[in-house]
Amino acid sequence: MPSEIFSSKRPKTSPECDPSTLSNYLDFIVKHTDIKLEVDFDAKVLTGSVTFTLIPNKDINEITLDSSYLSITKAQFNDENVEFIIKPRVEPLGSALFIKSIDVKANQQSSLSLEFATTEKCTALQWLAPEQTSGLKDPYLFSQCEPIHARSLFPCFDTPAIKSTFSISVDSIYPVVVTGLAESKSESASKGSTIYKFNQKIPIPSYLFAIASGDITSASIGPRSSVFTEPLDLKKCQYEFEADTENFIKTAESIIFNYEWKEYNVLVLPPAFPYGGMENPNITFATPTLISGDRENVDVIAHELAHSWSGNLVTNSSWEHFWLNEGWTVYLERRIIGAIHGEPYRQFSAIIGWTDLVQTVEKFKENKTEYEAFTPLVKDLKDNKDPDDAFSTVPYERGFNLLYHIETKLGGKEKFDPFIPYYFNKFKYKSLDTYQFLDTLYEFFNDAESKKILDSIDWDLWLYEPGLPPKPDFDTTLVDECYDLAARWTKATESNTSTSDLFNEFNLKDIKSWTANQSVVFFDTLAEYPSWSKYTEFVRTFNKIYSSYPESNNAEVIFRWLRFNILGHVTENFQRLADWLGTVGRMKFVRPGYLLLKSVDINLAKETFEKYKSGYHPICRSLVEKDLGL
Ligand code: BES
Ligand code: ZN
């Protein structure tokens, strides 16, 4: 049994206690959360109230909630005013909101209400000026709560271990979307605004709460799906997603079980949105960098959709077990892509992921503490480590690789498949840790032969050892072409091939018919070669031969082309990267983009950041500041 293997590391009770909350969440069940918000675009403030329907599981005299940079004006327990204290701030967890002198017996349903307003320092919200939107005339608001920012939007038990149903009402002068199904719309009594009401009937954790408001319209992209975005971008967004969305949902349903959330919608945000996608229930938030006109970034939609099961129905109980959300989601995303386009495409995507993992682990090696805390699958976030600092591809790709390893060891997809609905069914509406996952694996595969196979997996290594896990054998059919071309280029540079010979040997046709992902693999392979800085002229010739790259609309491709130019010290393209950093807000590009600039011209990096920093999301801004040593 795995529990024997982990006897030293396994906590006494599962799920393991969440180190990233200050709340006393273990004392309660939250049955329902009722939240009312008013959006003030002029003051850039959300004001509101939240009411929790609570059931304490023991006799209770005090409640501690999470809060961060919130102004709290009133607290009521069972409709009576109660005193509260905001404790001094503890980085990065925030300020505990402490309510004492209450007296409630175990199992007695109670209500706790708080009135609050967000402040300028709120880390969950970004308020955009009209210039930061495509319409250029209206302001825009959006939230991003994962992992621990919900507490700066409303006081709560800000842990993925607590889930509740929600009713949400928002008063705004602009259309509103939230994580829930729209219920009604009515005119507000006061000032020409509208009250939008929503319901989320499936219990969700606080980090999945989300809101956006602005000049937002919608169009259908499938029988249960719409895309929401600004009017100017609507047609393009509809085109990007309408061919695949329903197909993805049906495929996921055939692998796991029925989609329970009724609608699956996508909100395409302005460029400042710091992630590729965020799986807010019923309304995935997505970066506009997905809208490339070639439908080549839809795997992000497959990923966010897959979260409807892994993450949103079945949730990691703390950010130390984040791989249960992301590793499982990458696994399902690749199963969806593989089911639709064929197994070689799953393998192709897995190879891209592996390269990413190798690069990430290499980078962590520069800092021993981070390497040890953040490259194992199960992370150590105790002693107030910031989950945002721990964020990397490790839980995604190491997590995927563990599941893929289990699948392969057990004898392939057919053998592994029945476990998928079993696991998701067992933990739906719940939160769990890695140990419960392992127990369930052993519980399901309980015949002697399977148990022997599971026992042969080196769990200690997979879960706790820093560095890379063993590299699996991937089917390289689709990538061989990309590897070959990259090898020919490195060979040509090493043998100092003349420019005219380069023009003879290489041709735009080499890459013309490639998918964006093939170009990604090509550039990732080229980037592994350590000496491009010595071959600047080669890179310039490369740019002339493959003249379509600088024109690419695909952010994954353009970023890698720019990176290749920085590695090759092509000075005239330093500014080009700097300019591009003014057009994207997605952290996946912004952070490495500044690090690349810093590696060749620290002043340009700092000047560029000064110029664009006000447009970046607060989390993105603070991480780049750290990266640049500001
Ligand atoms: N849930 C994540 C985004 C996230 C993680 C936000 C942690 C805040 C903290 C989302 O599902 C995600 O993984 N997005 C990826 C895209 C995906 C295809 C790998 C991204 O944003 O790049
Ligand atoms: Zn994800």
Side-chain angles (χ1 to χ4, degrees):
M1 277 300 284
S3 47
E4 292 154 29
I5 309 172
F6 306 114
S7 53
S8 61
K9 302 216 161 132
R10 184 176 188 142
K12 279 189 203 71
T13 52
S14 269
E16 193 173 19
C17 191
D18 179 359
S20 309
T21 175
L22 298 169
S23 72
N24 63 336
Y25 73 97
L26 291 169
D27 298 342
F28 300 96
I29 291 168
V30 181
K31 284 206 59 169
H32 186 71
T33 304
D34 180 23
I35 181 161
K36 295 188 171 58
L37 298 169
E38 228 176 275
V39 187
D40 184 339
F41 280 99
D42 293 327
K44 299 193 168 120
V45 165
L46 276 185
T47 49
S49 65
V50 59
T51 302
F52 299 103
T53 308
L54 300 171
I55 304 178
N57 49 39
K58 59 177 196 194
D59 296 356
I60 285 292
N61 298 110
E62 51 191 55
I63 306 176
T64 308
L65 294 179
D66 290 297
S67 88
S68 174
Y69 301 123
L70 278 175
S71 146
I72 294 167
T73 47
K74 188 170 165 182
Q76 290 196 319
F77 192 77
N78 289 336
D79 301 321
E80 305 257 335
N81 284 358
V82 283
E83 273 179 51
F84 60 91
I85 302 164
I86 308 275
K87 297 241 173 115
R89 192 177 168 86
V90 183
E91 287 299 343
L93 303 182
S95 318
L97 165 61
F98 182 61
I99 299 160
K100 58 173 182 183
S101 318
I102 53 168
D103 182 18
V104 54
K105 296 274 169 281
N107 302 320
Q108 222 171 70
Q109 181 165 311
S110 311
S111 82
L112 171 67
S113 300
L114 301 134
E115 287 180 13
F116 61 89
T118 61
T119 63
E120 212 191 339
K121 285 183 158 174
C122 175
T123 53
L125 297 177
Q126 189 169 10
W127 300 86
L128 301 180
E131 312 82 79
Q132 291 178 278
T133 67
S134 62
L136 302 172
K137 55 183 190 0
D138 304 294
Y140 198 105
L141 162 72
F142 70 85
S143 67
Q144 167 58 44
C145 289
E146 191 182 18
I148 58 165
H149 302 285
R151 63 192 68 174
S152 87
L153 207 168
F154 64 109
C156 55
F157 297 100
D158 197 7
T159 165
I162 288 276
K163 292 183 174 185
S164 87
T165 54
F166 273 74
S167 34
I168 303 161
S169 122
V170 184
D171 185 340
S172 176
I173 55 170
Y174 292 106
V176 172
V177 298
V178 305
T179 42
L181 297 171
E183 205 160 76
S184 66
K185 208 161 78 166
S186 58
E187 238 166 74
S188 171
S190 44
K191 17 158 195 40
S193 62
T194 305
I195 299 175
Y196 298 85
K197 289 197 167 147
F198 306 85
N199 244 308
Q200 180 52 265
K201 293 193 169 146
I202 298 181
I204 59 166
S206 53
Y207 80 89
L208 290 176
F209 179 83
I211 175 173
S213 185
D215 185 12
I216 297 170
T217 47
S218 70
S220 167
I221 51 168
R224 37 187 159 171
S225 305
S226 296
V227 66
F228 290 73
T229 197
E230 287 184 70
L232 273 175
D233 309 317
L234 192 61
K235 279 266 161 321
K236 275 199 225 155
C237 294
Q238 187 182 30
Y239 175 83
E240 204 75 30
F241 301 140
E242 68 186 353
D244 297 285
T245 306
E246 179 63 17
N247 201 7
F248 286 165
I249 305 176
K250 284 214 179 83
T251 308
E253 289 183 320
S254 74
I255 298 169
I256 321 154
F257 49 68
N258 281 353
Y259 182 75
E260 292 198 1
W261 306 83
K262 296 203 170 85
E263 289 174 29
Y264 177 76
N265 302 319
V266 180
L267 171 70
V268 179
L269 287 115
F273 185 61
Y275 291 97
M278 176 63 212
E279 66 271 24
N280 299 315
N282 294 126
I283 181 93
T284 284
F285 281 21
T287 167
T289 61
L290 302 189
I291 312 302
S292 48
D294 56 11
R295 296 175 171 167
E296 287 226 44
N297 295 302
V298 285
D299 47 350
V300 176
I301 299 301
H303 177 98
E304 303 314 332
L305 169 71
H307 272 303
S308 306
W309 292 267
S310 48
N312 298 5
L313 277 187
V314 174
T315 310
N316 52 213
S317 56
S318 85
W319 304 111
E320 297 186 317
H321 303 277
F322 186 48
W323 80 272
L324 289 172
N325 276 15
E326 296 299 344
W328 258 111
T329 299
V330 172
Y331 179 83
L332 293 173
E333 167 201 336
R334 291 186 179 144
R335 287 298 303 270
I336 295 170
I337 298 298
I340 293 174
H341 299 293
E343 179 64 19
Y345 283 84
R346 175 166 84 128
Q347 300 282 324
F348 185 68
S349 171
I351 292 170
I352 298 182
W354 179 265
T355 315
D356 220 355
L357 179 63
V358 172
Q359 282 169 358
T360 307
V361 169
E362 270 315 300
K363 236 186 283 121
F364 272 129
K365 275 194 184 145
E366 291 161 17
N367 179 326
K368 190 161 182 280
T369 324
E370 288 194 351
Y371 177 75
E372 278 167 7
F374 304 150
T375 66
L377 193 60
V378 179
K379 282 186 269 189
D380 173 11
L381 296 176
K382 288 163 194 78
D383 307 318
N384 303 346
K385 289 200 192 71
D386 188 341
D388 275 320
D389 290 339
F391 179 80
S392 79
T393 40
V394 170
Y396 291 76
E397 296 301 338
R398 202 179 170 131
F400 162 80
N401 275 286
L402 174 58
L403 293 167
Y404 183 64
H405 184 67
I406 297 170
E407 176 204 301
T408 312
K409 278 242 162 190
L410 284 168
K413 284 186 289 207
E414 296 68 30
K415 187 82 196 292
F416 185 66
D417 276 359
F419 174 66
I420 300 175
Y422 180 80
Y423 166 73
F424 284 101
N425 205 27
K426 177 170 171 184
F427 289 104
K428 72 178 181 181
Y429 319 135
K430 297 195 177 84
S431 307
L432 80 159
D433 66 14
T434 302
Y435 310 102
Q436 290 167 289
F437 162 76
L438 286 167
D439 287 345
T440 307
L441 191 68
Y442 271 79
E443 166 186 297
F444 186 81
F445 293 105
N446 58 7
D447 59 295
E449 193 198 337
S450 304
K451 184 178 179 300
K452 215 171 110 201
I453 295 174
L454 291 179
D455 280 342
S456 76
I457 294 174
D458 189 346
W459 295 110
D460 241 354
L461 181 152
W462 275 98
L463 304 188
Y464 307 119
E465 287 281 316
L468 285 174
K471 182 177 178 177
D473 280 332
F474 293 119
D475 168 356
T476 58
T477 317
L478 288 171
V479 291
D480 283 340
E481 217 185 311
C482 323
Y483 289 159
D484 290 347
L485 188 62
R488 277 171 54 209
W489 270 96
T490 43
K491 206 162 139 226
T493 47
E494 272 168 352
S495 52
N496 254 315
T497 309
S498 70
T499 306
S500 58
D501 282 349
L502 287 177
F503 274 102
N504 287 332
E505 184 171 349
F506 299 102
N507 190 298
L508 185 57
K509 283 203 200 95
D510 302 339
I511 57 148
K512 198 87 213 179
S513 64
W514 277 3
T515 63
N517 269 346
Q518 281 181 293
S519 290
V520 163
V521 172
F522 175 50
F523 279 116
D524 285 351
T525 315
L526 285 173
E528 283 169 22
Y529 182 64
S531 314
W532 289 112
S533 60
K534 288 194 295 201
Y535 295 106
T536 305
E537 280 315 310
F538 277 85
V539 179
R540 289 201 171 105
T541 309
F542 176 103
N543 291 342
K544 282 188 196 130
I545 294 172
Y546 301 141
S547 56
S548 58
Y549 280 139
E551 261 76 65
S552 169
N553 275 325
N554 193 302
E556 299 284 351
V557 174
I558 198 84
F559 170 71
R560 284 170 175 81
W561 175 75
L562 287 164
R563 182 180 66 190
F564 184 55
N565 275 264
I566 300 294
L567 296 176
H569 285 207
V570 181
T571 40
E572 64 275 22
N573 282 332
F574 294 179
Q575 189 58 47
R576 194 157 177 159
L577 170 59
D579 294 344
W580 190 68
L581 288 170
T583 69
V584 289
R586 188 175 173 188
M587 280 200 278
K588 176 181 176 185
F589 300 126
V590 174
R591 288 187 71 190
Y594 277 101
L595 287 174
L596 281 167
L597 266 194
K598 182 183 164 195
S599 72
V600 288
D601 185 343
I602 179 132
N603 289 329
L604 180 60
K606 286 183 176 167
E607 279 163 26
T608 307
F609 181 66
E610 273 309 308
K611 186 164 162 195
Y612 298 127
K613 72 176 182 191
S614 67
Y616 295 132
H617 189 276
I619 301 165
C620 179
R621 202 181 307 147
S622 81
L623 288 169
V624 176
E625 271 164 10
K626 270 187 215 168
D627 292 342
L628 293 181
L630 296 172

